[in-house]
Amino acid sequence: MTKKVSSPPVIILLDLLFLLVFILILNQSSQTNISFSKDKLFKGAILIYREDGIKYLVNQDTREIGDIYFPKANTGYSYFEKCKQQCREYTNLNQNNLYIYLPNNLFNQIAKVSYIASNTDYNCKNLKFKIMDNGKIDVDKLLENDCVKGIEGIDILRRY
């Protein structure tokens, strides 16, 4: 007489847990982190005052609200962060409505490198872009990620 073999429920549970962990590891997303000085605005930064759905340019010399912000027609995307300590000198404006926008050329550079790094054979993850006070990407900081070093033409960022 032969005995039927049955798997104990613990082994089945462990198999399911292993599959779940495996799926979670495969689904890890890459992140792009953009950082800049927390104390002052970088050169070329666009300061926007948003109120009632309308965006206004802020004149950084006079610290007053200027014209309505109309991005160029071919600029469909933008990156911005809430202004914090960088705008502490703009006391006449509501600090909660001030935002720092990246200029179009800087945004395009970051987008191009991010796309090439994460959506090609390089498959770089967790890119960190630091914007220096002069408004340029800190290439040395970016190249700390060894994966980025292999991207053809990455040295061109030093020229801009």
Side-chain angles (χ1 to χ4, degrees):
M1 217 178 201
T2 60
K3 183 178 177 185
K4 291 185 178 180
V5 178
S6 65
S7 299
V10 174
I11 292 177
I12 294 172
L13 181 63
L14 287 175
D15 286 345
L16 289 174
L17 287 174
F18 175 74
L19 286 174
L20 179 64
V21 169
F22 185 71
I23 290 170
L24 288 174
I25 289 172
L26 288 178
N27 286 335
Q28 284 184 343
S29 63
S30 61
Q31 292 182 341
T32 300
N33 183 349
I34 300 173
S35 64
F36 40 83
S37 174
K38 301 296 181 198
D39 296 331
K40 63 181 180 174
L41 294 172
F42 59 88
K43 182 179 178 182
I46 301 170
L47 192 58
I48 300 291
Y49 186 77
R50 294 166 66 178
E51 186 173 59
D52 298 327
I54 301 173
K55 299 175 187 174
Y56 300 94
L57 282 170
V58 176
N59 186 322
Q60 295 181 30
D61 294 328
T62 63
R63 296 190 172 97
E64 297 290 329
I65 294 176
D67 297 330
I68 293 178
Y69 175 62
F70 289 114
K72 293 179 183 174
N74 63 351
T75 306
Y77 304 98
S78 58
Y79 176 83
F80 60 89
E81 283 191 17
K82 195 165 206 38
C83 198
K84 296 175 184 158
Q85 290 294 329
Q86 303 95 331
C87 298
R88 66 182 174 271
E89 297 171 355
Y90 294 82
T91 55
N92 59 333
L93 300 174
N94 183 352
Q95 297 290 310
N96 291 329
N97 294 348
L98 286 170
Y99 295 86
I100 302 169
Y101 278 63
L102 292 184
N104 198 29
N105 62 344
L106 183 60
F107 178 76
N108 285 338
Q109 290 173 3
I110 292 171
K112 286 176 185 177
V113 172
S114 297
Y115 180 79
I116 291 169
S118 61
N119 294 311
T120 59
D121 292 340
Y122 297 109
N123 201 18
C124 302
K125 301 216 183 282
N126 300 325
L127 297 175
K128 295 180 182 177
F129 292 92
K130 179 167 179 6
I131 310 302
M132 299 183 295
D133 289 341
N134 63 4
K136 297 180 181 180
I137 297 172
D138 186 348
V139 179
D140 295 330
K141 182 81 171 165
L142 179 63
L143 291 176
E144 287 178 4
N145 184 340
D146 290 333
C147 179
V148 177
K149 291 179 183 176
I151 295 176
E152 185 176 339
I154 195 73
D155 289 334
I156 285 179
L157 288 178
R158 293 185 194 277
R159 294 185 203 157
Y160 293 104

